[in-house]
Amino acid sequence: MNTSHSQINLHHKQILLWLCVLSFFSVLNEMVLNVSLPDIARDFHKEPASINWINTAFILTFSIGTAVYGKLSDQLGIKKLLLFGIIVNCIGSVIGFVGHSLFPVLILARLIQGTGAAAFPALVMVVVARYIPKENRGKAFGLIGSIVAMGEGVGPFIGGAIAEYMHWSYILLLPIVTIISVPFLAQLLKQEEVIKASLDNVGILFMSLGIVFFMMFTTFYKISFLIVCLIFFLLFVQNIRRVSNPFVDPALGRNISFMIGIVCGGLIFGTVAGFISMVPYMMKDVYHLSTVAIGSGIIFPGAMSVIVFGYLGGVLVDKSGSLFVLTTGSAFLAISFIVAALYIETTPLLITIIVIFVFGGLSFTKTVISTIVASSLEQKEVGAGMSLLNFTSFLSEGIGIAIVGGLLSVRLLNQKLLPINAEPPVYLYSNILLLFAGIIVVSYFVTMNMYKRSRINI
């Protein structure tokens, strides 16, 4: 009896170990190339609008994939999908490393990586819920959350060190480590009963094409891309109203409070992602810092601070309420962007402190947005609604990165608008930071106004 019990515990621990490995490399894959973008831009002689697609491409398929894997988990089984995701992610890594000197191949590799890596956040939590005993799930979720936070923190540090002392292309090989989990997970995870159901493939296609053309518009500012984007989104809306099992439940669109939360949350998350993608360019242009210095000295402390701010945000929600934490987080973000805009040339240490408070503000607002969005949903809508929130959160990050790449390339904002003594390149970053602050302030007041009117209990 005791032997059998200990074997079960060992089985659970082994599953949890490999889930932690997958979670770590999932986040690492998203963050690790960011600090090297200026180096890649130099190698390819391209503007940020094009280079940022290295991150945008990954997040595009990553965000869509998380939603698709979630839909498919009951139809194909978690085991098959998780192993498929690991293998596809590794294939993308090999393609990217071998063909890194060809920019289209590099973008294709990142699309493939995102397609595979999307299985990790979509399915890892489901595996925990199904395989880990109820009394240990809290610890399991907490451990995975800590591993994810650690991945976010060490990603810029590892990426910066590899790019500085080896070459940025070697960063693409990091996800291959996850291939060692395949034989173990194949043995540990059991074959599941599957449910026959249809998947809205047409809806997924229309939505994906609409998103791609919108991102192309934000990158190159060609009106033809925007027109094609609107056509595909109209086709998408028409499709989900007609099919029996739509990719997105159209009823959610009639929940105004939910939609405001989704849009404002997306604006906040996209703004922060855009800022983080801009930091390496800014540090190179303003302070001429090395890649390893940017990764370890500028971004690393902020990314690691998420662990502290995440815990503190949870404590404050229980003690002072969600709206207080939302206000605090929004203030962190807006004030940080304004201070950075006004004193951008002061010292790199200031930007390090700014990045810490930006990550802190993101951690606070992310917690609260999830809470208030969930509170706006009826019980039967919670699953679909929270799935849509996760999807839009990931997607908004990709859109934010694409938009910032476009702004850095077309240089529409490269003129003196603030009373600062600096050279013209600094004006561009300063004005974009001011724009970031404005987006955060507007999003905050719209969210507060809507939820006060709705009288949602949060």
Side-chain angles (χ1 to χ4, degrees), residues 172-194:
L172 295 162
L173 291 176
L174 290 175
I176 291 181
V177 175
T178 59
I179 200 69
I180 63 175
S181 68
V182 169
F184 296 99
L185 289 174
Q187 183 180 8
L188 292 167
L189 300 179
K190 60 190 179 189
Q191 207 67 35
E192 299 170 305
E193 293 184 10
V194 296

Side-chain angles (χ1 to χ4, degrees), residues 164-419:
E164 186 74 19
Y165 300 116
M166 297 172 69
H167 188 263
W168 58 262
S169 60
Y170 287 94
I171 297 172
L172 295 162
L173 291 176
L174 290 175
I176 291 181
V177 175
T178 59
I179 200 69
I180 63 175
S181 68
V182 169
F184 296 99
L185 289 174
Q187 183 180 8
L188 292 167
L189 300 179
K190 60 190 179 189
Q191 207 67 35
E192 299 170 305
E193 293 184 10
V194 296
I195 301 171
K196 289 186 177 180
S198 60
L199 186 67
D200 183 14
N201 295 312
V202 174
I204 294 170
L205 178 64
F206 285 156
M207 183 194 68
S208 301
L209 290 172
I211 292 168
V212 168
F213 277 99
F214 178 73
M215 288 183 171
M216 295 286 283
F217 167 71
T218 61
T219 302
F220 303 108
Y221 294 100
K222 290 186 177 179
I223 196 68
S224 57
F225 288 140
L226 183 60
I227 293 171
V228 176
C229 159
L230 292 174
I231 291 171
F232 277 119
F233 274 121
L234 288 173
L235 291 171
F236 171 70
V237 171
Q238 184 182 32
N239 178 78
I240 62 174
R241 287 178 174 176
R242 191 176 33 134
V243 299
S244 57
N245 186 29
F247 183 64
V248 175
D249 186 357
L252 292 171
R254 295 189 286 271
N255 186 334
I256 302 301
S257 298
F258 170 77
M259 293 306 297
I260 290 292
I262 287 282
V263 172
C264 290
L267 285 171
I268 293 172
F269 306 151
T271 299
V272 173
F275 168 74
I276 299 303
S277 74
M278 186 178 79
V279 167
Y281 295 109
M282 186 167 66
M283 292 297 97
K284 288 273 186 182
D285 286 348
V286 178
Y287 294 105
H288 310 291
L289 295 183
S290 66
T291 303
V292 69
I294 297 169
S296 60
I298 305 297
I299 301 179
F300 175 71
M304 290 302 293
S305 72
V306 170
I307 300 173
V308 176
F309 281 110
Y311 172 77
L312 183 60
V315 172
L316 287 174
V317 165
D318 293 336
K319 186 176 180 180
S320 305
S322 295
L323 293 183
F324 173 80
V325 176
L326 179 64
T327 302
T328 305
S330 299
F332 278 176
L333 292 171
I335 293 172
S336 295
F337 292 143
I338 292 171
V339 170
L342 292 172
Y343 302 100
I344 186 173
E345 274 197 312
T346 306
T347 170
L349 179 60
L350 174 66
I351 305 302
T352 299
I353 296 170
I354 292 296
V355 171
I356 289 173
F357 278 99
V358 166
F359 272 105
L362 174 64
S363 184
F364 278 18
T365 53
K366 215 166 195 176
T367 300
V368 178
I369 290 293
S370 298
T371 303
I372 56 184
V373 165
S375 300
S376 69
L377 297 167
E378 297 180 11
Q379 189 62 36
K380 63 181 180 180
E381 299 175 323
V382 170
M386 296 310 290
S387 176
L388 184 58
L389 173 63
N390 288 332
F391 166 67
T392 54
S393 297
F394 288 130
L395 182 62
S396 63
E397 292 177 5
I399 293 173
I401 292 170
I403 290 174
V404 168
L407 290 174
L408 291 176
S409 299
V410 298
R411 300 184 178 269
L412 291 172
L413 297 176
N414 195 19
Q415 49 190 311
K416 188 171 183 178
L417 299 178
L418 294 172

